[in-house]
Every structure is written in structure tokens, then in C-alpha cells.
Amino acid sequence: MSPQHAPPELEEFFSNLELFGDALWAGAAAGALLGVLGVYVLLRNLVFVSAALSQAAGLGVALTFWARAALPGLLGGLDPALGAIVMTLMATLFFVRAHDHHDAHQDAQLGVAYLIGSAGTLAVATRIVADLADIETLLFGSAVAVLPEDRDALLWTAGTLLVLHGVAWRGFVAISVDGDGARVRGLPVALLEVLLFCSLALGVSVATRVLGALPVFAFSVLPAMAAVKLARNVSEAIWISSLVGIAAATLGYLAAYRFELPVGAAQTLTCLLLLALASVAELLRERHGHGHHH
Amino acid sequence: MSTEPRTLLALERAVVGYGGHGLLPPVDLALAVGDCWALIGRNGAGKSTLMRSMLGLQPLLFGTLRRAPQLRVSFVPQRAHFDLSVPSRVRDFVAGGLDVGWRFLRPWLDASERSRVEAVLEATDTATLAAEPFAALSEGQKQRALIARAVVSAPQLLVLDEPTSAMDPLNERAVFALLQRLCRPPGRDNAMAVLLASHQMGFLPEYADHCLLVDKDLGVLQAGSTREVYASAAFGRIYGALHLPAPGLGG
């Protein structure tokens, strides 16, 4: 019989923060940014757009690895983040077009895009055996460590987009809640739409490259769902969602360490746990007669 | 000084429709300060298409849409347009109407904007509901909040799409009375023009002085005073079976 394996203690974790600090910062930045973006994803019923975008980003990274392996002389230095951004922007343009034209079967189109992304990534993965671990990281977010340059890319992206959203949040809310009303009142709706979708594409693609598709999808949907249950208005929902995103990323990472779970799965499960707590809080508030009456 | 009513919005030989296909005959009309226009017609008659074209949400197929310079317009869509899962207290919902042009770039409301919101909440009898979630309101209360959101930016033209649909008769009358009070404040000449789509044929003439009757199937687009339109042959063809009483003077 093999000797019983003792689970790692959190004391060890905190005494080795220099090993895990980059991953914690990267997770917190992604949680904060995707928490904010998630509120718009929810307001505009774009939940599956977010899922499809994260898969498109994954395919972009996989294609970059493949291109680097196939043409090492020409494309050997190609950054996988670039592939993620290009594929995500292409997918975003496709969804915006379908959304603007009120295309029938929009959900079916999203399903097709999601399947192209996930099946394409797996198919390409079989051609790049050397980078197979990277592909697994990409899909399920199983990376324990994050490179300093990836952490910096995520921090810069999150910082820049959060400043944009801090300045223009009222405009983004206006076009998300009542697009026609906003257009009639003279808001620059087309510009705000482009900025909102580009920030979603950029945030999802950079975060997917660093953390993987599974936690990115979770951060862009579940914190916002929890926040909407607790908030009295959209501005509160944005704050709460961002904080829930940070908490889920950090606590999920700690849980992954303590219970030896894949990081992405632990972060997603933590998001779900926080959502369950928010649902209980909403229920208790409704019982006391101060809740929303949806 | 000109005594002509000031035109806010005008259509000239305008044809509305989709994909190059005109829905209604060409129309000429002008909305002036203080006018109250009712847009009537059966479901699917082309009311929404005409309304969206007048708002600039949909391009005209032919003709011209003229707007007064710096015209401030507010639009009240049907209540079902708003997603009730969006968290919003009535006060926040009303304040959302202040975002006009590029004002959204100021992340917070200043003192004058906050007092404007409170004044509009009072004027629309929604002050006691200010802290309530919008989703928890009755249909009549929701409509009052929607109107408050629309008028908080002090528009010169207010456009409403079926503001009293799915409402009981008492609330219908209350909404129309509120509109009349807001649009024509007594002792003031800064009245706002109103265009509203409605099916309340019975008492529309009490509130609307002008009428636009549309029916794409019958090729009807008739504009004029409410009395003229109600007396027209086209109105008789479409609504004759309702045996409506002859309208009094509009407004």
C-alpha cells in the first residue's frame, strides 16, 4: 500500500508567495475585469457569446502554436496572444453583425461558433504534440504558474479597460438597457457598441491566453449573476460583480492549492459557490420583504 | 416676431418601409411646439415603422425628415421593452434618462441633476416609489416611471409607443392625464410636443389635437386634426364597427 499523501497546507502557500504571486495577480485582474464586462454580458443576453469568444480565443492560440511549429523560420516568434486577439475580434464582428441584423437562429450560430472553437482547438492540438500541455492549460485553465510577462499583459489590459469602463459606464449601461432610447437621446451608440464589444473581445482573449477558457467563461458570467441578485442598481452590480470576480479568482486558486484541484475548475467552482451564497442572501432578503420582485 | 407655430419635426413626401419596399403612402406633416399627435391604426398597420422613421431609428425610403436644430427628443418604448431582471430602483431608472449626447462621460450626477430627478419624481407621482425596484411596480406605476425617465431631460418632443397597453381603464386615464399635465403645464408656454401610438380610440380625442391614421393593407395614411381624421371615410372603414362617439375639440 502506498503511504497516505498529506494535503498541502496553506502556510506553505503563503511562505512561497513568490512562486504563486504572479498567478494570484493575474487571476485577480481577470476576475475584476471580467466581472465588470460580465454585467453587460448579462444585461444584453450575451452569455453564450462570451462562451463562444473564449473558445475562439483558444482556437487562435492553438493556431498560433501550430503556425509556429509548421513554419519555425517565418513564424517562430509569433505571440499566441496575437492569435487569440485576432480570432476573438473576428468572432466578435460575426456576432455583432448577427445581433444588428436580428438574424434568426442567433443561438444556433453561437453554438456553431462555440463548436468550431472547441473542436478546432482539439484538432489543432493533435498536430502540436510539443505544446500539448499549453493546449490543456488553454482549455481548462490548469496552469498553476503564470509567467511575469503574461501577468503584466493581463494587468495592463485589465487596468486600461477598467479605466475606460469607469469613464463611460453610464453610456454602456444606457445602450445595454435601452438602445433605441439612447440613440434618440443622441448618445454615440455605434461608438459605444464598438468599444463595448472590443473590450469584451480583448479582455476575453488576453485572459483566455493566460488563464484558459473555462475560468474565463466562468468569470464573465457567474460573478455578474451573483451581483444582480444583491445589487439595487446597475452601478452597484458592476462593483459587486468585480469584487466577486476577484474573490472567486483568489479563493479558487487557494482552494486549488489546498485540495490539489485543477486551478480553472477550482476557480469556476468557487464562482458557483459565491453565486449560491448570493442566491441564499436574495432569498433571505425577499423573505424579509425588502427584496426584488422579479 | 413670428406667430407661426415653431416646427420641431417635419416629414416631406416621406415614404417609410423596409428593404426598398414602401409600407405606406407618402406623408407630409409637421409637429409643432405644443401639438399632441395620436398615431392610430390596427396592429401591424405600420405605426411602429412610421414612428421609428420619425425618430431617425430607421432611414426613410424616400423624402425628407427635418428636425429643428438641437432638438431634444425622448422616446418611451413599450413597457415590455425593459428587462425586469436588471436591478434598478425607480430613482436610478429615472436618472438614466439624463444621459443625453455625451453627458454620460460624467460618471456621477451633479446637484442640479439630482434635484431635477427629484422634481420629476414629484411631478409624475413617483416620489414615494423612488427607492422601490422598478420590477416591483404595478403596470401603471411602471408607466409613470417610464414617463418620468423620458421627461427628466426636458425634451421638446416626447414620443410614446402604446403607453397604456395592458392597463386597466382607470390607469389608462391617469396616464393620459399625467401626459397632458406634463406637456401643457398651466400658465406656461414652454409646452412640449407629443406623439403617441395608441389603441384608446374612445378617449384619444380628449387629449390629442392631431391624428395620424395608418393602415398598410388599405394603403391609408391620413394626417390632420383629430376631428377631421375621425370623420374621414378611411377611419369609418377601419373603425366603423366600434361606433365611437363623435370627438369633441382636441386638446
Side-chain angles (χ1 to χ4, degrees):
Chain A
M1 245 172 92
S2 64
Q4 279 236 323
H5 169 67
E9 293 298 327
L10 285 180
E11 282 169 21
E12 271 178 65
F13 179 91
F14 289 113
S15 59
N16 290 295
L17 261 186
E18 70 276 11
L19 287 178
F20 308 113
D22 290 342
L24 279 175
W25 275 111
L33 174 62
L34 296 170
V36 171
L37 296 176
V39 174
Y40 302 107
V41 166
L42 216 60
L43 289 184
R44 306 185 64 139
N45 298 316
L46 297 174
V47 168
F48 288 102
V49 170
S50 171
L53 286 184
S54 55
Q55 291 299 328
L59 179 59
V61 175
L63 284 172
T64 311
F65 280 132
W66 175 76
R68 289 197 324 190
L71 297 166
L74 190 62
L75 301 173
L78 201 61
D79 187 347
L82 187 66
I85 291 170
V86 169
M87 282 302 289
T88 313
L89 282 174
M90 281 170 60
T92 303
L93 286 175
F94 171 72
F95 297 139
V96 170
R97 192 199 152 280
H99 197 258
D100 286 352
H101 289 76
H102 303 285
D103 282 2
H105 310 302
Q106 249 184 68
D107 54 341
Q109 292 178 357
L110 287 175
V112 169
Y114 180 91
L115 291 169
I116 290 173
S118 51
T121 306
L122 287 170
V124 173
T126 62
R127 295 285 177 270
I128 43 172
V129 180
D131 293 306
L132 206 53
D134 284 320
I135 296 295
E136 275 192 20
T137 299
L138 191 66
L139 289 179
F140 307 117
S142 52
V144 174
V146 167
L147 296 172
E149 55 266 34
D150 285 345
R151 174 207 61 192
D152 290 345
L154 204 39
L155 283 172
W156 274 107
T157 305
T160 308
L161 293 180
L162 285 172
V163 167
L164 169 70
H165 279 259
V167 171
W169 73 273
R170 289 173 65 93
F172 292 135
V173 171
I175 61 164
S176 300
V177 170
D178 175 21
D180 283 347
R183 199 167 278 123
V184 168
R185 294 197 306 274
L187 273 77
V189 173
L191 174 66
L192 287 166
E193 291 275 5
V194 168
L195 287 175
L196 183 59
F197 276 99
C198 281
S199 55
L200 186 61
L202 195 61
V204 165
S205 55
V206 174
T208 301
R209 162 72 189 109
V210 178
L211 301 178
L214 177 65
V216 165
F217 179 42
F219 292 153
S220 60
V221 176
L222 300 176
M225 285 177 70
V228 162
K229 290 179 182 298
L230 301 175
R232 294 173 301 172
N233 55 37
V234 180
S235 64
E236 279 185 13
I238 291 170
W239 277 108
I240 294 172
S241 183
S242 191
L243 293 173
V244 170
I246 293 171
T250 310
L251 296 175
Y253 194 84
L254 289 172
Y257 180 84
R258 176 67 180 78
F259 302 109
E260 298 180 285
L261 296 168
V263 174
Q267 287 172 325
T268 303
L269 290 170
T270 309
C271 276
L272 286 167
L273 180 66
L274 294 174
L275 174 60
L277 290 175
S279 301
V280 171
E282 183 192 37
L283 206 65
L284 290 175
R285 195 173 53 178
E286 279 181 357
R287 284 205 177 163
H288 286 84
H290 300 295
H292 297 277
H293 306 271
H294 294 167
Chain B
M1 199 172 141
S2 169
T3 55
E4 286 293 307
R6 192 157 67 87
T7 299
L8 298 174
L9 186 146
L11 289 175
E12 293 163 8
R13 303 296 298 161
V15 178
V16 302
Y18 291 99
H21 175 67
L23 280 186
L24 297 165
V27 60
D28 289 285
L29 69 89
L31 270 69
V33 173
D35 281 355
C36 180
W37 282 80
L39 176 54
I40 59 174
R42 296 179 289 196
N43 285 334
K47 296 194 296 294
S48 294
T49 307
L50 179 57
M51 185 177 266
R52 290 181 66 79
S53 300
M54 291 172 79
L55 287 167
L57 294 171
Q58 190 175 316
L60 295 175
L61 295 185
F62 184 78
T64 312
L65 169 68
R66 292 192 197 284
R67 293 161 61 109
Q70 310 299 322
L71 176 66
R72 296 188 307 275
V73 188
S74 271
F75 174 48
V76 181
Q78 293 188 24
R79 291 188 301 287
H81 174 78
F82 287 90
D83 181 353
L84 298 183
S85 68
V86 176
S88 189
R89 292 173 301 188
V90 170
R91 181 178 281 111
D92 306 311
F93 183 76
V94 171
L98 283 168
D99 291 322
V100 174
W102 291 82
R103 275 167 79 168
F104 68 88
L105 286 174
R106 285 183 297 175
W108 293 282
L109 302 183
D110 61 28
S112 69
E113 288 172 324
R114 282 197 299 273
S115 58
R116 170 76 187 154
V117 170
E118 297 307 318
V120 167
L121 287 169
E122 287 290 340
T124 53
D125 302 326
T126 48
T128 55
L129 307 169
E132 295 292 318
F134 177 76
L137 305 184
S138 70
E139 291 305 303
Q141 291 168 335
K142 278 193 190 106
Q143 193 59 54
R144 295 212 305 271
L146 277 166
I147 291 170
R149 178 181 165 93
V151 300
V152 74
S153 59
Q156 297 157 295
L157 171 61
L158 179 63
V159 180
L160 304 100
D161 192 1
E162 298 190 19
T164 60
S165 60
M167 236 182 235
D168 64 72
L170 284 177
N171 270 313
E172 280 175 358
R173 283 207 172 259
V175 166
F176 276 102
L178 170 64
L179 281 174
Q180 197 170 40
R181 204 168 74 223
L182 292 171
C183 301
R184 294 172 184 173
R188 294 171 64 184
D189 57 3
N190 58 340
M192 103 180 110
V194 173
L195 169 70
L196 63 96
S198 179
H199 290 291
Q200 305 311 319
M201 314 307 302
F203 56 83
L204 264 180
E206 292 177 37
Y207 301 98
D209 40 28
H210 293 79
C211 212
L212 250 171
L213 171 64
V214 299
D215 194 305
K216 71 176 168 61
D217 296 328
L218 299 177
V220 168
L221 200 162
Q222 186 137 13
S225 75
T226 306
R227 181 185 281 272
E228 285 167 0
V229 172
Y230 268 55
S232 68
F235 186 90
R237 274 175 77 192
I238 297 167
Y239 291 110
L242 293 179
H243 304 296
L244 292 165
L249 280 172

